């Protein structure tokens, strides 16, 4: 992995390849490279490091040619190095390939090819694919690729070029995204739409098992058996500027500020204007459909997993359906108790998260109904699920998720209310009050964001601490977990979240003089208990930043600093409360001089197990 681009047409390929790769930098990577056919041979330029290193390397002698592919890599097999960078070639440079994902049986294939005299240069799994094409080539490039696909196992997006067939690119996918952009006398290939949005808005989104032969004038799509596949053109309606920073220093702060708009977009057509009902036209569930659900299982990874923890509170308390939340990478290995009466909800920002996709496939194998909650139309998880709810957060470029997370919370709250109405588990007046607060959510988020200077001050004051702790009870604990993750993933501060009631069970030993503790206290039903826990950490001389709702006239007596969010319903509080935690992480990272949008060792879309 992690980013793929390709071009075939009348123009020079290299400028587009570099442009497209830059649009994919948000995905996280450790090396970059391009391959261009110059009319006689395929030239490959690649190096470890940022794209700027590659541009510097080829400055003054940009490869010339009208056919090319490029790649930004995040290491999975073999350390980051010039040699392990993509693209990879066969023994003679006749065939070249770029790849996202993993070839699971590469070692067996490599051993066989080594025995036949093939010479390998890298430690990667990808290189075996290029050598396999060489091995199978008998004058028909597409036929050779087809034989390769019949042999390899794993998850991948693969894009091939050949010196013997210099008018076409062949590409395919399995469990990893791949998009073909349709131009006039030229066509584009990319692993994500932002790479091509400045060139075309007309796309084909490949499905698993499909293979496309792309020339400047045509795109021919078949399945692995060679049977033609009819593809519907997908029109991209994103504003091209949505993938730019818009004058902000980083994508992350831009996306934090975009959250009120994302809330409005997510609620559009779902919060009825003339009633207090929640509607999901994409579901159209009946009372009988919901009555058949005896248990809900939510599975996800990272930030989306934290959204699932909040959703458990929403669904159990409002719809009164038992809910389990499982880390997706654990789900399919523990023989889960899932059957036809189980609804499995998979939450994924990208819709391409490898472990989450595998969990969904396992749930379907066991007979469960599946529902995807994702931000990306046409993504693998969206296509695999029985039904899909899109969050409509818009493109999220920063690796650390912000608006994708809060719109996941919003969708799950609306889903809980939708289920509650169908199950008649919530009084009409209570439903009305929550829906009223839903309508107020964007304005309240804007109100807080317009006056977030205090959070910046705290981040600058405590941003050089080695440790920070987060505590909370009930839903606040789930939000505290997300706050801690945000802080450590972009500022590299050691941050931990604890259920506040667990402090006496060992974790209080970590609280020492001067250590910052962020204490969430937005849930009134456990408020007094939370204050008691705050007193415990203050007694150990911690510096406590309390996070509470406006109108709280008690918390300031017990903490050193206070952040107030606008008063709202307790079920909306997690959506507003995480915003200052996002800002705290952002400003701490800026204070420490970290690469906010591209934190070390992380990628936006984790497409390998």
């Amino acid at each position: 992995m992690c980013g793929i681009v390709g071009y075939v047409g009348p123009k020079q390929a290299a400028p587009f390849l570099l442009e497209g790769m830059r649009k994919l930098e948000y995905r996280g990577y450790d090396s970059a490279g391009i391959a261009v056919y110059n009319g006689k041979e395929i030239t490959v330029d690649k190096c470890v490091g940022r794209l700027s290193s590659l541009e510097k390397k080829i400055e003054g002698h940009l490869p010339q040619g009208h056919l090319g592919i490029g790649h930004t890599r995040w290491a999975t097999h073999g350390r980051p190095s010039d040699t392990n960078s993509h693209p990879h070639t066969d023994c003679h440079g006749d065939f070249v390939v770029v790849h996202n994902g993993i070839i699971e049986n590469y070692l067996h294939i490599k051993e066989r090819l080594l025995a036949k005299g093939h010479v390998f240069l890298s430690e990667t799994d990808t290189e075996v694919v290029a050598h396999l094409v060489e091995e199978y080539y008998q004058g028909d490039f597409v036929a050779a690729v087809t034989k390769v696909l019949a042999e390899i196992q794993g998850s991948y997006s693969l894009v091939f070029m050949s010196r013997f067939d210099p008018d076409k690119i062949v590409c395919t996918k399995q469990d990893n995204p791949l998009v073909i952009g349709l131009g006039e006398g030229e066509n584009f290939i990319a692993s994500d739409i932002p790479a091509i949005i400045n060139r075309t808005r007309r796309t084909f989104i490949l499905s698993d098992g499909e293979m496309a032969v792309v020339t400047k004038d045509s795109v021919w799509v078949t399945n692995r058996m060679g049977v033609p596949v009819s593809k519907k053109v997908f029109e991209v309606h994103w504003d091209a500027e949505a993938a730019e920073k818009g004058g902000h220093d980083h994508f992350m702060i831009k996306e934090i500020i975009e959250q009120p708009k994302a809330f409005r977009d997510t609620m559009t057509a779902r919060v009825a204007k003339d009633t207090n009902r929640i509607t999901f036209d994409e579901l159209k569930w009946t009372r009988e459909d919901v009555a058949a659900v005896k248990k809900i299982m939510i599975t996800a990874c990272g930030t989306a997993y934290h959204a699932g923890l909040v959703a458990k509170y929403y669904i159990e308390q409002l719809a009164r359906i038992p809910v389990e939340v499982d880390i997706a990478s654990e789900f399919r290995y523990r023989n889960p108790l899932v059957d036809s009466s189980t609804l499995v909800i998979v939450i994924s920002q990208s819709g391409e998260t490898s472990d989450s996709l595998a969990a969904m496939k396992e749930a379907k194998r066991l007979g469960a109904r599946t529902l995807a909650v994702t931000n990306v139309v046409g993504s693998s998880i969206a296509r695999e699920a029985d039904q899909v709810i899109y969050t409509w957060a818009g493109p999220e470029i920063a690796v650390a998720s912000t608006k994708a997370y809060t719109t996941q919370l919003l969708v799950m709250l609306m889903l809980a209310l939708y289920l509650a109405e169908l199950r008649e588990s919530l009084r009409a007046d209570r439903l009305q009050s929550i829906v009223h607060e839903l309508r107020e959510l964007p304005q309240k988020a804007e109100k807080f964001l317009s006056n977030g200077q205090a959070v910046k001050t705290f981040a600058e004051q405590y941003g050089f601490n080695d440790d920070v702790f987060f505590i909370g009870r009930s839903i606040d604990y789930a939000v505290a977990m997300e706050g801690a993750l945000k802080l450590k993933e972009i500022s590299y501060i050691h941050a931990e979240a604890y259920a506040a009631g667990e402090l006496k069970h060992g974790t209080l030993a970590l609280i020492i003089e001067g250590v910052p503790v962020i204490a969430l206290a937005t849930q009134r039903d456990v408020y007094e208990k939370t204050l008691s826990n705050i007193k415990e950490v203050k007694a150990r001389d911690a510096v406590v930043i309390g996070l509470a709702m406006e109108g709280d006239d008690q918390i300031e007596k017990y903490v050193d600093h206070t952040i107030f969010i606008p008063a709202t319903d307790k079920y909306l509080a997690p959506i507003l409360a995480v915003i200052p935690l996002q800002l705290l992480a952002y400003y701490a990272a800026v204070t420490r001089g970290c690469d906010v949008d591209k934190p070390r060792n992380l990628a936006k879309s984790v497409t390998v197990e």
Side-chain angles (χ1 to χ4, degrees):
M1 54 186 305
C2 185
I4 288 174
V5 292
Y7 176 82
V8 54
K11 302 171 185 173
Q12 290 295 321
F16 164 74
L17 299 179
L18 296 172
E19 170 194 319
M21 291 158 67
R22 187 163 298 286
K23 295 293 185 182
L24 297 179
E25 283 193 295
Y26 68 90
R27 295 170 67 93
Y29 68 101
D30 52 52
S31 59
I34 61 174
V36 176
Y37 178 73
N38 64 13
K40 294 182 179 179
E41 60 185 0
I42 298 173
T43 62
V44 176
D45 294 283
K46 56 184 183 177
C47 64
V48 72
R50 294 295 188 192
L51 184 59
S52 57
S53 299
L54 175 64
E55 291 174 322
K56 185 176 180 179
K57 179 180 178 180
I58 61 178
E59 186 178 3
H61 52 90
L62 200 67
Q64 301 296 297
H66 308 293
L67 182 82
I69 57 179
H71 190 270
T72 52
R73 176 181 186 253
W74 185 54
T76 56
H77 290 74
R79 61 184 177 82
S81 70
D82 290 355
T83 303
N84 287 333
S85 304
H86 294 217
H88 288 287
T89 66
D90 67 308
C91 295
H92 303 98
D94 296 330
F95 305 97
V96 63
V97 62
V98 292
H99 165 221
N100 284 350
I102 286 180
I103 307 302
E104 294 177 354
N105 59 337
Y106 85 101
L107 279 176
H108 172 74
I109 296 171
K110 186 173 183 177
E111 289 171 0
R112 177 165 60 85
L113 293 173
L114 283 168
K116 296 184 108 178
H118 287 261
V119 177
F120 286 80
L121 301 178
S122 78
E123 306 166 273
T124 69
D125 55 337
T126 304
E127 191 180 356
V128 302
V129 178
H131 287 272
L132 264 185
V133 180
E134 178 187 17
E135 183 69 18
Y136 287 130
Y137 182 73
Q138 294 181 339
D140 188 329
F141 179 35
V142 176
V145 171
T146 301
K147 289 181 180 179
V148 169
L149 300 181
E151 182 166 349
I152 62 174
Q153 299 169 10
S155 62
Y156 50 79
S157 295
L158 288 162
V159 181
F160 302 84
M161 283 171 47
S162 170
R163 180 176 68 85
F164 303 124
D165 224 336
D167 66 337
K168 65 172 62 79
I169 295 174
V170 180
C171 57
T172 187
K173 71 162 297 256
Q174 182 66 43
D175 299 326
N176 277 259
L178 203 61
V179 177
I180 298 172
L182 307 174
E184 296 294 333
E186 60 182 355
N187 287 307
F188 312 88
I189 298 167
S191 54
D192 206 353
I193 288 173
I196 59 176
I197 196 171
N198 286 337
R199 301 298 185 105
T200 182
R201 294 179 178 273
R202 301 175 66 249
T203 68
F204 286 155
I205 299 176
L206 289 190
S207 298
D208 285 349
E210 291 179 347
M211 183 173 72
V213 178
V214 183
T215 70
K216 66 183 181 66
D217 297 314
S218 67
V219 177
W220 180 251
V221 183
T222 67
N223 63 19
R224 296 282 167 77
M225 304 303 293
V227 178
V229 175
S230 177
K231 299 295 291 184
K232 182 180 179 181
V233 174
F234 176 72
E235 292 279 352
V236 179
H237 296 296
W238 298 355
D239 181 350
E241 292 184 4
E244 303 298 331
K245 296 178 184 177
H248 298 287
D249 291 335
H250 301 93
F251 283 114
M252 184 178 177
I253 188 63
K254 173 180 178 286
E255 289 156 8
I256 291 172
I257 292 169
E258 287 174 344
Q259 286 178 113
K261 179 183 183 301
F263 298 158
R264 292 187 181 97
D265 292 343
T266 299
M267 289 190 288
T268 296
R270 292 167 176 163
V271 179
K273 292 182 173 61
D274 54 347
T275 68
N276 291 304
R277 297 182 64 249
I278 301 296
T279 60
F280 280 101
D281 290 338
E282 57 267 62
L283 300 182
K284 293 185 171 63
W285 286 344
T286 65
R287 294 183 191 278
E288 291 73 24
D289 292 330
V290 175
V293 176
K294 304 305 180 185
K295 177 176 69 173
I296 293 175
M297 296 191 71
I298 299 173
T299 186
C301 300
T303 285
Y305 170 72
H306 295 156
L309 294 175
V310 176
K312 173 181 171 68
Y313 285 94
Y314 287 163
I315 295 171
E316 288 191 341
Q317 294 186 19
L318 295 170
R320 308 304 295 164
I321 302 173
V323 178
E324 294 180 31
V325 187
D326 216 348
I327 296 172
S329 57
E330 297 293 329
F331 177 87
R332 62 182 167 135
Y333 297 113
R334 68 174 183 84
N335 194 19
L337 297 175
V338 171
D339 57 27
S340 59
S341 66
T342 307
L343 173 65
V344 174
I345 302 175
V346 176
I347 307 175
S348 169
Q349 179 276 138
S350 68
E352 302 294 346
T353 311
S354 177
D355 288 314
S356 299
L357 179 59
M360 175 173 284
K361 290 179 178 179
E362 176 66 6
K364 293 185 74 172
R365 187 187 70 81
L366 294 171
R369 295 163 57 184
T370 56
L371 173 66
V373 175
T374 183
N375 190 40
V376 181
V377 175
S379 57
S380 297
I381 287 172
R383 294 196 306 275
E384 184 73 25
D386 296 323
Q387 292 178 289
V388 186
I389 300 175
Y390 291 111
T391 53
W392 305 125
E396 189 176 70
I397 307 302
V399 167
S401 181
T402 53
K403 62 178 181 175
Y405 168 76
T406 50
T407 53
Q408 287 167 355
L409 296 188
L410 183 53
V411 160
M412 296 309 295
L413 176 55
M414 291 190 292
L415 180 64
L417 294 171
Y418 178 73
L419 291 168
E421 184 175 8
L422 288 170
R423 287 175 54 85
E424 299 181 341
S425 59
L426 191 65
R427 296 193 324 269
D429 61 332
R430 184 71 181 102
L431 174 64
Q432 180 177 347
S433 68
I434 298 173
V435 173
H436 172 75
E437 287 299 322
L438 276 172
R439 292 196 179 101
E440 298 294 317
L441 178 64
Q443 292 87 347
K444 290 183 177 181
E446 286 170 341
K447 177 183 177 183
F448 179 83
L449 286 166
S450 67
N451 189 27
Q453 184 60 39
V455 179
K456 183 177 182 180
T457 300
F458 298 149
E460 291 172 346
Q461 186 171 354
Y462 301 110
F464 289 102
N465 281 69
D466 293 327
D467 304 283
V468 175
F469 298 99
F470 293 71
I471 60 173
R473 284 177 174 262
S474 184
I475 306 180
D476 279 342
Y477 171 47
V479 179
M481 294 174 71
E482 174 61 12
L485 175 61
K486 280 292 153 288
L487 188 62
K488 57 191 167 188
E489 71 181 334
I490 64 167
S491 74
Y492 318 140
I493 295 172
H494 169 243
E496 298 291 341
Y498 296 115
E502 289 292 292
L503 286 169
K504 286 193 176 74
H505 297 279
T507 54
L508 201 58
L510 296 171
I511 305 301
I512 59 175
E513 182 179 358
V515 67
V517 175
I518 290 88
L520 282 71
T522 72
Q523 301 296 302
R524 299 305 304 180
D525 48 350
V526 291
Y527 182 77
E528 295 300 328
K529 296 290 185 181
T530 302
L531 289 184
S532 176
N533 300 135
I534 289 173
K535 293 175 186 177
E536 289 178 334
V537 295
K538 276 301 298 175
R540 276 75 181 176
D541 296 318
V543 176
V544 182
I545 301 172
L547 198 162
M549 286 195 275
E550 291 175 349
D552 184 334
D553 57 0
Q554 296 187 61
I555 193 167
E556 289 182 295
K557 302 173 186 176
Y558 306 104
V559 301
D560 298 283
H561 312 285
T562 312
I563 300 170
F564 288 110
I565 60 171
T568 188
D569 189 277
K570 70 175 185 177
Y571 294 117
L572 275 297
I575 304 173
L576 289 175
V578 79
I579 296 175
L581 303 185
Q582 295 168 348
L583 290 171
L584 186 68
Y586 172 76
Y587 288 120
V590 171
T591 297
R592 295 166 69 91
C594 300
D595 192 346
V596 174
D597 288 331
K598 297 184 284 291
R600 66 190 182 202
N601 301 330
L602 300 179
K604 184 64 175 173
S605 180
V606 182
T607 56
V608 296
E609 183 177 359

